[in-house]
Amino acid sequence: MKLICGDSTEELRNLEPCSIDAVVCDPPYGLGSTTPSQVSSCLQAWSRGETWKPQGSGFMGKSWDSWVPPPELWKEVIRVLKPGGHLIAFAGSRTQDLMSISLRLAGFEVRDTIQWLYGSGFPKSLNIGKAIDKIQSQEAKQYEGYGTALKPAFEPAILCRKPLDGTVAHNVLKHGVGGLNIDGCRIGDEVIKTEGYTNSQPLVSFQDVNPFYQGMSHVGRWPSNVIMDEQVECGEWKRFFYCAKASRQEREQGLDGHGSRVNIHPTVKPIDLMRYLCRLITPRNGIILDPFLGSGSTGIAAGLEGFDFVGIEREEEYFEIAKTRIEHWTNTTLTYDQPQPKEVKTGEQLSLF
């Protein structure tokens, strides 16, 4: 494993081309000011191959979340990824279109979008009735019960692939990547038999209508593009992979001595979820890249699944947390590049991006 503290766009240039088997990451969602004029300005610059700098900040006032990662960063990711290699990038529910466009412009093929459903989201909505009451109380009653936002209950994860070198079979034989580990990510322990199909029989899965799978049986159902954080023991919902949100114990395990509330990263993904996604798109003994390491959940997942790992994180406080968490969970001594102090000339400021 190797961890690097630095700007991803710069640090990726130091990696060898076609040296990475898979990318699993949770990049900034870009929850800043996505006004039509901002979006239009951004897309015009991107379409011309130009760099575009956002204004303001995003989630919790963080400058790194002011916009989604630009195509120039993803172009470095696709350069180091092997042909046919897959990438999974989480995105915000209201900015996944920008994330997807950025990935496409870099050269990725968008293959699917995985939906991680959860029930514990909290709505951040303006009470319109109360807001009007402060201006004109006579009009407030007719707007009681009106708000401005829905309760968040899912996060999308965009599944992409670097273009193949020839056919899938040729690509897999030459580069070792290009497919998804279906059997390694099957759902449940039920024995699924595909002995035949008639119009009177209900469909079990995709295998029922694909002649290649007739007469075969598997333990567990075909993985879907839906993941849930609530375990359901009845009906059709049993078909989906279950993974709860990260608990406080999981977030902070191994960080003794860093303070009472030590993992300060605002968007910690659960380890089991990242293990599942790593396993889905990475070949045996493969190398996973995360250019947005955060507090290290993907690195932990990669180590526990037996994969090698390269992680890059710009923010030093998150980098230190990630180092400690990964070493604790994987019982691994890490190789990492320490952040180097940047020389700032008189009258200049360090870049926020």
Side-chain angles (χ1 to χ4, degrees):
M1 282 195 174
K2 183 176 183 180
L3 304 187
I4 304 167
C5 186
D7 180 85
S8 291
T9 305
E10 297 175 3
E11 298 297 339
L12 285 167
R13 297 189 182 109
N14 298 323
L15 300 183
E16 292 294 323
C18 303
S19 60
I20 299 296
D21 295 284
V23 181
V24 180
C25 60
D26 187 19
Y29 289 180
L31 302 179
S33 176
T34 52
T35 62
S37 61
Q38 286 268 84
V39 172
S40 177
S41 175
C42 169
L43 295 183
Q44 289 181 54
W46 284 359
S47 65
R48 295 190 297 263
E50 299 174 359
T51 299
W52 185 82
K53 295 291 185 181
Q55 299 177 355
S57 57
F59 181 65
M60 296 180 65
K62 302 294 185 180
S63 63
W64 49 259
D65 191 54
S66 57
W67 207 257
V68 301
E72 53 256 43
L73 184 143
W74 296 121
K75 286 179 181 179
E76 286 300 317
V77 171
I78 206 170
R79 182 186 67 84
V80 302
L81 188 62
K82 293 177 180 178
H86 283 86
L87 171 148
I88 293 177
F90 279 89
S93 59
R94 65 182 175 89
T95 54
Q96 63 174 311
D97 56 339
L98 291 172
M99 190 80 76
S100 179
I101 290 172
S102 184
L103 287 160
R104 291 178 190 272
L105 289 175
F108 278 103
E109 302 170 349
V110 175
R111 305 287 296 171
D112 207 335
T113 299
I114 299 169
Q115 303 289 340
W116 180 37
L117 309 181
Y118 48 80
S120 57
F122 187 80
K124 298 176 181 178
S125 175
L126 172 69
N127 186 318
I128 295 178
K130 288 186 177 181
I132 292 177
D133 188 42
K134 294 179 180 179
I135 303 172
Q136 188 176 352
S137 60
Q138 293 180 349
E139 301 291 333
K141 286 188 177 181
Q142 61 181 302
Y143 291 102
E144 286 183 4
Y146 281 72
T148 58
L150 300 174
K151 175 184 179 295
F154 84 97
E155 287 184 40
I158 303 170
L159 174 63
C160 299
R161 186 177 68 188
K162 182 174 178 176
L164 296 166
D165 177 7
T167 65
V168 173
H170 176 270
N171 197 99
V172 170
L173 288 173
K174 183 176 180 180
H175 302 285
V177 296
L180 302 176
N181 185 5
I182 298 300
D183 281 357
C185 295
R186 288 182 174 274
I187 313 302
D189 55 8
E190 180 183 359
V191 177
I192 307 297
K193 296 182 179 180
T194 57
E195 297 175 349
Y197 170 74
T198 66
N199 290 334
S200 61
Q201 293 176 324
L203 290 178
V204 175
S205 69
F206 166 76
Q207 296 132 305
D208 288 335
V209 292
N210 189 330
F212 178 78
Y213 291 100
Q214 297 301 312
M216 299 175 67
S217 63
H218 300 277
V219 176
R221 296 184 180 275
W222 194 282
S224 77
N225 57 6
V226 172
I227 295 174
M228 303 179 65
D229 89 325
E230 305 242 355
Q231 195 163 18
V232 181
E233 296 296 341
C234 60
E236 297 300 308
W237 296 107
K238 291 177 65 177
R239 296 173 181 258
F240 301 112
F241 177 68
Y242 155 78
C243 182
K245 282 191 170 183
S247 65
R248 177 172 179 174
Q249 180 182 7
E250 180 181 299
R251 291 166 58 100
E252 303 188 354
Q253 188 171 337
L255 293 174
D256 299 339
H258 283 252
S260 58
R261 185 66 178 172
V262 287
N263 193 343
I264 58 174
H265 197 280
T267 60
V268 181
K269 289 294 185 291
I271 294 170
D272 283 348
L273 174 62
M274 306 314 280
R275 290 185 69 169
Y276 178 82
L277 297 177
C278 287
R279 190 166 66 249
L280 177 66
I281 67 170
T282 313
R284 292 183 182 89
N285 303 314
I287 303 174
I288 297 174
L289 167 68
D290 183 354
F292 309 98
L293 180 61
S295 63
S297 294
T298 305
I300 295 170
L304 294 177
E305 289 294 320
F307 300 121
D308 203 352
F309 179 75
V310 177
I312 306 173
E313 173 55 46
R314 190 190 70 175
E315 306 296 321
E316 292 183 30
E317 55 185 349
Y318 299 153
F319 182 77
E320 293 298 323
I321 293 171
K323 281 195 315 184
T324 306
R325 289 185 75 218
I326 294 172
E327 287 182 336
H328 170 81
W329 280 90
T330 65
N331 194 28
T332 302
T333 301
L334 299 174
T335 299
Y336 53 87
D337 292 347
Q338 289 280 19
Q340 298 297 319
K342 296 182 179 180
E343 181 181 353
V344 181
K345 298 179 180 179
T346 305
E348 291 185 344
Q349 293 181 334
L350 290 176
S351 172
L352 292 175
F353 305 100

